[in-house]
Amino acid sequence: MGVFYKWGAGRDPDHPEIVDAYDSTLVTANGEEILDAAAGAAVVNLGHSLEGVGDVMAAQADRVGYVSTSHFTTPSVESVGEKLASMTPGSLNEAFFVDSGSEAVEAAIKLARDYHVARGEPTREAVIGRWASYHGSTLGALAASGNTGRRTVYDPLLQDWPKIGPAYPYRWDHEGTAEEQAVAAAGELERLVRRLGPETVAAFVAEPVGGSSIPAARPHPAYYREIRRICSEYGLLFIADEVMVGFGRTGEPFACEGLGVTPDLMALGKGLSAGYAPISATMVADRIVETLEGHDHPFQHGHTYSGNPISTAVADHVLDRYSEDLFAAVRRRGRRLEAALEPLVDSPIVGEIRRAGLQVGIEFVSDRETKAPFDPGADVADRIYDAALEDGVYTYPGGGSVDGQAGDHLMLAPPFVLDDDAIATIGDAVVSAVSRVAEAEGRRTV
């Protein structure tokens, strides 16, 4: 008997056992040190040794470790809710707490449905997503996702919700300037809504900046301005999934702010506790709350550990560590990391290097001119991951960005606290890993 926790395909199930961690470093049971260039899964924003977290956990556990939020509240729940309301844009002033990003997206989907029913539009059911997106592993979040590799086995269980093309400027075939291409790509949503009938569509969900499926993909701001216009005109709620890219990852408090758009619902997670406790949240606009409060049907949703006092106490402590000075440091360190990866610009297998704050996506291609991806069987991203890990750097590999099967990429999303030496180490390891795999593929190395 053992623990069944393997995630993803093609990885060695004999994971290294991590017994210690500090700053941007993981320490294995064998004493090996691994530089965490992915912050786990873009989670550990504030590093692996955040001061005071243990004391906060112990103090809260000594006072109250659990209450049912169906009937009670605690000071930390109220404090985190108030802080999130002050941090998030627009009128996103109410927080619904859950335990994971998947659950935050699920809550947003159900809130959108409740909102339309309360407004007397019960035919609004569909949630439009995008291909090559990922919003979580629960059935509702997965149905809204367009990551076909993660959906395939479960398709018979999923709602057949419609999708538009991804926000993927590198592979758009629209003509014109970056702004004109963005508007043309966003126009696909309007055409789909008209074809379905606006009265059947409840919401549109999107990651403002690409997460693990197309890391750091970010269209011209005109794309989301047009998305916002379409949602408002046709009565859809816009759900922004900021589970991975929120809390400063892109150099702004939230990615949607850097794109000049405010959603109706926002799913948050990961950085909310910086990995120190399981907690996520759905932020809800005032008009949605007011509509639901004026309706006699309560929001029938919740989880046993939603708003757990220990998790919210940790989040309360973590939120105080986010500041404009830290976000400025994210932008500065992101530029330095991009510079450390500059040799990859000439790599024969690198199609594009994308960066948003301290998140970098490196896309690999078999032909730079045609942008043709590698055959999935070549396992290019996984081999580059393995090569970097041999040099002591943990990264985040991925695939399927082009058609659900083909399309290799690597994401770098290190803790915000990494220093210049760590940045140089990441750059050296990744450049070396890409060169070694390129050589193995018979290509000229960088």
Side-chain angles (χ1 to χ4, degrees):
M1 300 294 290
V3 180
F4 183 69
Y5 57 80
K6 183 180 177 185
W7 169 254
R11 308 303 316 146
D12 186 343
D14 297 323
H15 302 300
E17 184 178 8
I18 303 301
V19 297
D20 200 359
Y22 63 92
D23 299 333
S24 301
T25 302
L26 305 172
V27 183
T28 73
N30 297 326
E32 177 187 6
E33 293 196 343
I34 300 172
L35 181 55
D36 184 358
V43 179
V44 191
N45 289 1
L46 303 178
H48 292 280
S49 47
L50 181 61
E51 185 177 357
V53 170
D55 293 337
V56 168
M57 287 181 172
Q60 183 61 54
D62 281 344
R63 299 195 65 168
V64 56
Y66 179 82
V67 296
S68 170
T69 52
S70 296
H71 303 281
F72 303 99
T73 187
T74 58
S76 58
V77 168
E78 299 300 325
S79 181
V80 174
E82 291 173 3
K83 288 176 182 177
L84 287 175
S86 68
M87 291 177 69
T88 51
S91 66
L92 295 167
N93 292 322
E94 298 289 335
F96 186 89
F97 290 110
V98 288
D99 306 316
S100 72
S102 302
E103 293 169 26
V105 172
E106 290 268 343
I109 290 171
K110 293 177 75 174
L111 278 162
R113 170 64 179 163
D114 266 301
Y115 169 77
H116 291 300
V117 170
R119 292 180 67 245
E121 296 188 88
T123 58
R124 288 187 180 264
E125 301 174 357
V127 176
I128 297 175
R130 295 189 301 212
W131 291 115
S133 66
Y134 183 62
H135 301 293
S137 57
T138 54
L139 294 179
L142 195 58
S145 300
N147 186 313
T148 56
R150 293 179 174 177
R151 287 172 52 101
T152 303
V153 172
Y154 310 107
D155 265 340
L157 309 178
L158 304 178
Q159 287 277 355
D160 187 21
W161 284 333
K163 306 283 186 293
I164 64 171
Y168 200 180
Y170 176 64
R171 293 190 177 277
W172 278 344
D173 56 8
H174 304 292
E175 296 184 355
T177 65
E179 182 172 359
E180 290 168 340
Q181 290 179 37
V183 172
E188 187 178 348
L189 175 62
E190 185 164 30
R191 292 191 295 274
L192 178 58
V193 170
R194 286 179 172 176
R195 186 165 71 248
L196 295 171
E199 70 282 0
T200 69
V201 183
F204 172 70
V205 59
E207 301 160 287
V209 171
S212 59
S213 292
I214 317 177
R218 178 171 55 179
H220 187 283
Y223 178 89
Y224 283 105
R225 289 198 298 268
E226 186 69 1
I227 290 292
R228 177 69 274 180
R229 178 196 68 78
I230 294 165
C231 288
S232 297
E233 181 172 336
Y234 293 95
L236 285 63
L237 296 186
F238 176 26
I239 302 171
D241 177 355
E242 297 235 8
V243 172
M244 180 170 280
V245 297
F247 297 106
R249 174 55 63 187
T250 64
E252 303 286 345
F254 299 98
C256 63
E257 293 181 276
L259 295 164
V261 64
T262 301
D264 302 298
L265 295 152
M266 181 187 287
L268 302 175
K270 296 184 185 287
L272 177 53
S273 72
Y276 286 93
I279 183 172
S280 294
T282 305
M283 298 304 296
V284 191
D286 287 345
R287 68 186 180 92
I288 297 174
V289 174
E290 291 164 2
T291 298
L292 294 176
E293 287 181 342
H295 188 59
D296 59 4
H297 177 70
F299 182 45
Q300 298 282 2
H301 189 59
H303 301 275
T304 298
Y305 287 98
S306 297
N308 176 267
I310 296 174
S311 292
T312 50
V314 169
D316 196 41
H317 179 76
V318 164
L319 289 181
D320 287 339
R321 273 68 198 163
Y322 291 116
S323 67
E324 182 48 48
D325 286 344
L326 179 61
F327 301 146
V330 166
R331 297 190 290 271
R332 185 169 60 251
R333 289 165 185 156
R335 290 192 293 269
R336 290 174 183 166
L337 179 57
E338 187 174 28
L341 298 168
E342 188 172 358
L344 293 179
V345 170
D346 297 321
S347 169
I349 67 168
V350 172
E352 184 178 50
I353 302 173
R354 304 180 283 265
R355 183 181 66 82
L358 199 44
Q359 181 198 29
V360 174
I362 306 169
E363 181 160 344
F364 305 108
V365 294
S366 64
D367 187 305
R368 285 164 59 108
E369 288 190 12
T370 65
K371 303 180 183 178
F374 281 96
D375 186 297
D379 293 328
V380 167
D382 283 345
R383 287 159 58 200
I384 291 170
Y385 167 89
D386 289 337
L389 192 60
E390 288 174 6
D391 289 340
V393 174
Y394 162 72
T395 60
Y396 194 120
S401 54
V402 175
D403 61 7
Q405 298 298 322
D408 290 275
H409 57 258
L410 199 73
M411 183 174 74
L412 304 175
F416 299 169
V417 299
L418 84 170
D419 58 22
D420 286 349
D421 288 342
I423 291 173
T425 298
I426 294 169
D428 290 344
V430 173
V431 170
S432 175
V434 173
S435 290
R436 282 141 64 191
V437 172
E439 282 188 351
E441 291 292 315
R443 310 301 175 89
R444 175 178 56 83
T445 59
V446 296

